[in-house]
Amino acid sequence: MKEIKFLKDLPLKFLNQNKSCIDLLGGDIYFDKDGNRYAFLTFKNLRKSPIFSLQLSFREYSLEGKLIKDGEFFLPYMYAPTGEFVNEVPIEIDQQTEALEVYIVKVVYDKQKFVNDRLVGFTKVDYIEKPSMAPAKKWEYKSNFEFVESSAPKEAPVQQQKAEEVNPAEAAAAPTLEAEKPVEEKVEQPQEVVSEEQINSAARGTFKKKNLLRYLFPMIAVVVVIIAVVFVSLILIKQGADSLNGF
């Protein structure tokens, strides 16, 4: 476990042109006892569907506006409903980083995904493959980013509010956050070839089962009615035969 504390606001430049699905509202810098820095970004999910996966490309800049390095951040499994949310896994940044350029590469919803700045529907393969990274953003050689110190305070995310409420006397007893997970290095993996037979045999959730039950119940009802008619007919025939034998 490692305790991190709020340091200051993190100026951001949001590079996506399409902001109809997800928006970037702001960011904060946190630090630990060793001086390592971590970024928490506040997003807003503008769709009714929750977000299940998030991929970012970002560039880190110094106070003078000098490019420090490029980075990738990938959350293959997450859950963010409609509204504001903060990345639960911190983004580790350089100790000299004072601003970020952020580009949202990929967002996965329940039946659609936001890729290349546009919303597209799932294909059959999307339902059966594991979450995977999209190609990273191709950055221009020279950025036009200009560092501007944020003077107006903004609404802090959940992590910031908790850090500010802790008094120095209660610091020893304050809860700590789980140590950050290192950003996964991008590893080129061969694309799995999915055959038509695998796609057809893949599980489709409960939608297909509901359709089967809809057709199965009438068939069962018809069979039950036929059995009842046959049973009643046999009883009537037997009664008729007994009456004839009595005469």
Side-chain angles (χ1 to χ4, degrees):
M1 305 291 288
K2 180 179 292 187
E3 182 181 0
I4 58 176
K5 298 181 179 180
F6 172 73
L7 179 61
K8 57 183 176 179
D9 293 347
L10 175 63
L12 301 172
K13 184 175 182 180
F14 189 31
L15 300 181
N16 291 77
Q17 298 297 320
N18 185 355
K19 300 178 177 64
S20 62
C21 298
I22 183 172
D23 197 6
L24 179 61
L25 303 182
D28 301 288
I29 299 178
Y30 281 71
F31 71 101
D32 60 18
K33 64 179 182 179
D34 299 320
N36 300 313
R37 290 189 175 188
Y38 307 94
F40 286 91
L41 309 182
T42 302
F43 302 90
K44 187 172 185 179
N45 179 11
L46 301 174
R47 294 185 59 80
K48 294 181 179 180
S49 167
I51 293 176
F52 299 101
S53 180
L54 176 67
Q55 179 184 345
L56 308 175
S57 289
F58 59 89
R59 275 188 158 183
E60 304 179 31
Y61 291 89
S62 65
L63 182 63
E64 296 77 18
K66 180 180 178 181
L67 175 64
I68 298 177
K69 64 179 179 179
D70 298 343
E72 292 288 321
F73 182 71
F74 181 45
L75 285 176
Y77 299 100
M78 60 171 290
Y79 181 83
T82 300
E84 297 183 14
F85 69 94
V86 180
N87 53 293
E88 295 183 356
V89 179
I91 303 173
E92 187 171 359
I93 57 177
D94 191 85
Q95 293 183 359
Q96 302 301 319
T97 297
E98 296 289 342
L100 289 182
E101 279 184 328
V102 180
Y103 181 80
I104 298 177
V105 179
K106 182 178 180 181
V107 176
V108 177
Y109 295 97
D110 55 352
K111 297 179 181 179
Q112 293 175 305
K113 55 186 177 181
F114 181 76
V115 184
N116 295 327
D117 238 5
R118 62 192 183 95
L119 191 67
V120 296
F122 276 4
T123 63
K124 291 183 178 180
V125 178
D126 289 315
Y127 286 101
I128 62 177
E129 70 177 1
K130 296 180 180 179
S132 59
M133 295 181 64
K137 174 178 172 56
K138 295 182 179 180
W139 296 95
E140 298 178 359
Y141 178 74
K142 184 178 180 180
S143 174
N144 58 355
F145 183 88
E146 295 181 1
F147 176 81
V148 179
E149 185 79 27
S150 177
S151 57
K154 64 178 184 59
E155 183 178 356
V158 177
Q159 287 86 351
Q160 176 181 344
Q161 295 173 355
K162 290 183 178 179
E164 293 177 344
E165 292 174 358
V166 178
N167 295 325
E170 301 173 350
T176 57
L177 298 178
E178 185 178 357
E180 75 285 359
K181 297 180 181 178
V183 178
E184 298 180 359
E185 296 183 358
K186 183 178 178 182
V187 180
E188 296 292 338
Q189 299 180 351
Q191 297 291 332
E192 297 182 2
V193 179
V194 182
S195 64
E196 187 69 24
E197 181 180 355
Q198 288 176 308
I199 294 176
N200 294 333
S201 61
R204 303 295 182 186
T206 58
F207 182 78
K208 185 174 181 180
K209 294 180 181 179
K210 290 181 179 179
N211 287 341
L212 289 176
L213 292 176
R214 186 178 64 183
Y215 292 105
L216 188 59
F217 279 127
M219 295 175 61
I220 294 176
V222 172
V223 172
V224 171
V225 171
I226 293 175
I227 293 175
V229 170
V230 172
F231 183 74
V232 171
S233 299
L234 291 176
I235 293 176
L236 294 176
I237 292 173
K238 186 175 183 305
Q239 291 178 349
D242 292 341
S243 298
L244 292 175
N245 291 333
F247 286 106

